[in-house]
Structures are given as C-alpha cells and as structure tokens.
Amino acid sequence: MIRTRSPFRRTAVLAAASAAALVLAACGGHGDTGDSSAAHGGHPSDTASPAASAAASPGQHNAADVAFAEGMVPHHRQAVEMADLAPGRAGSAEVKKLAADIKKAQDPEIEKLSGWLTAWGEDVPAAGAMDHSLHGGASGGMMTMQEMDQLEKASGKAFDTAFLEMMIKHHDGAVAMARTEKAEGASPDAKAMADAIVTSQSAEIAQMNELLLGTS
C-alpha cells in the first residue's frame, strides 16, 4: 500500500510545488505590474500635472502687469465717475456722446482688470479708495479732489470745457501707463488691452481737442 501511494503522493507534492511556483510567479508578476503601473502611472501624472497646473494657472504675468492693473482700475473708475456727470451737466451733445462712449468702453475693462488681479492672487483696489497721486508717473493724469469738485459744480459750456480739458489730461495718463505695460508687461491679455487703450484713447484725445476748439 505504501509503495502504491508513493507515486500519487510524489505527484501531489510535485503538483503542489508547481502550483506554489505558479502562485509565486503570479504574485511576483502582479508586483512588477503594480510597480510598473505605479511607474507608468507616475509618468502620466507627471505629464498631466503641468497641464493641470496650466489649466488652473492664472496665466503668465509679471510685476509690470500687476502694477498696470492696480493702477488702471482706479484710473478707469475715475474716468467713469467723470463721464457720469455729463448727462446732467454737459451743454454739448457731442460731449454727452463722448462721455457715454468712455463709460461704455471702460466699465468692461475695469471688470477684466479686476478679474486678472484676483486670478493673480492680488487685491483689487477698493472702490473709492483712490490715491490721486499714485497712478503711473507723477499722477497718471488723475484728477485731484479739488478738480473733481470743480467739475461737479460746473454746467453747460463751463462743464464742457472743464470736462474736455480734464479728460484729455486723464487720457494722456492712461496712454502713458498703457505704453509702459506694452513695453514691460508679460501678460498677453494685459498687453492687448494696453494696445487697445493706446489706440482708442489717443483717438479720443484728438476728438476732444477738436471739441475744445468749438467751446472756445
């Protein structure tokens, strides 16, 4: 009986050994696959990471872009504030139309500039918190509180003249700020806006100079 069972036991032992070897090989294979998957998984994640970062990135920008946006937001706000005075005080239909065009152009730009600052992790200048001496160069063409008071108290032809003279100065400041952004900025969007400001506000300066001749 012992001799009869011996081959079966030997076969069973061999079968068990073979099965064990297969299991170990399989486990080793899964381990390698796991390592390989981790490695390969690491590569896609490394590759996807920059893409994800780019998607979440606020975009290419530098200190000049931030300064441009921080300065232009209050600068535009003041231009809109001046334009808002025209419907009830201007005597000239052309001045009223110009003021409306300025407001229409600069309101959306304020929103864009504010959005960029937020995306860049910077603070948006608080509404009404304007320092009239710190926007591009000496004053960036910003009106003083006294000048704004003067404009608010004027009407008719006196308002038209004061508005045009002040807005020319204001636009000159904006064009200078925009030219600095074009030369020193890194954000394609900010530089594109700066280019548009130079073009549109230079044209408005020429228009206002012509209107001034009509008020004199």
Side-chain angles (χ1 to χ4, degrees), residues 82-160:
M82 294 167 69
D84 282 339
L85 297 173
R89 291 173 173 79
S92 164
E94 288 89 347
V95 170
K96 290 181 180 181
K97 172 69 165 56
L98 173 66
D101 289 343
I102 289 171
K103 179 178 175 64
K104 183 179 179 181
Q106 297 195 22
D107 267 339
E109 289 180 346
I110 292 170
E111 291 184 15
K112 283 186 180 180
L113 291 159
S114 299
W116 294 338
L117 286 170
T118 299
W120 296 338
E122 305 289 343
D123 292 332
V124 177
M130 292 189 236
D131 181 342
H132 299 290
S133 65
L134 295 176
H135 299 290
S139 67
M142 294 283 283
M143 300 299 104
T144 64
M145 295 306 296
Q146 291 76 17
E147 287 173 320
M148 289 299 293
D149 287 342
Q150 175 191 339
L151 190 62
E152 288 174 5
K153 293 173 183 175
S155 62
K157 187 175 179 180
F159 176 89
D160 296 342

Side-chain angles (χ1 to χ4, degrees), residues 12 26 57 60 68 73 76 95 105 109 133 157 159 182 187 202:
S57 172
Q60 178 185 4
F68 171 70
V73 166
H76 272 17
V95 170
E109 289 180 346
S133 65
K157 187 175 179 180
F159 176 89
K182 286 178 65 178
S187 165
S202 294

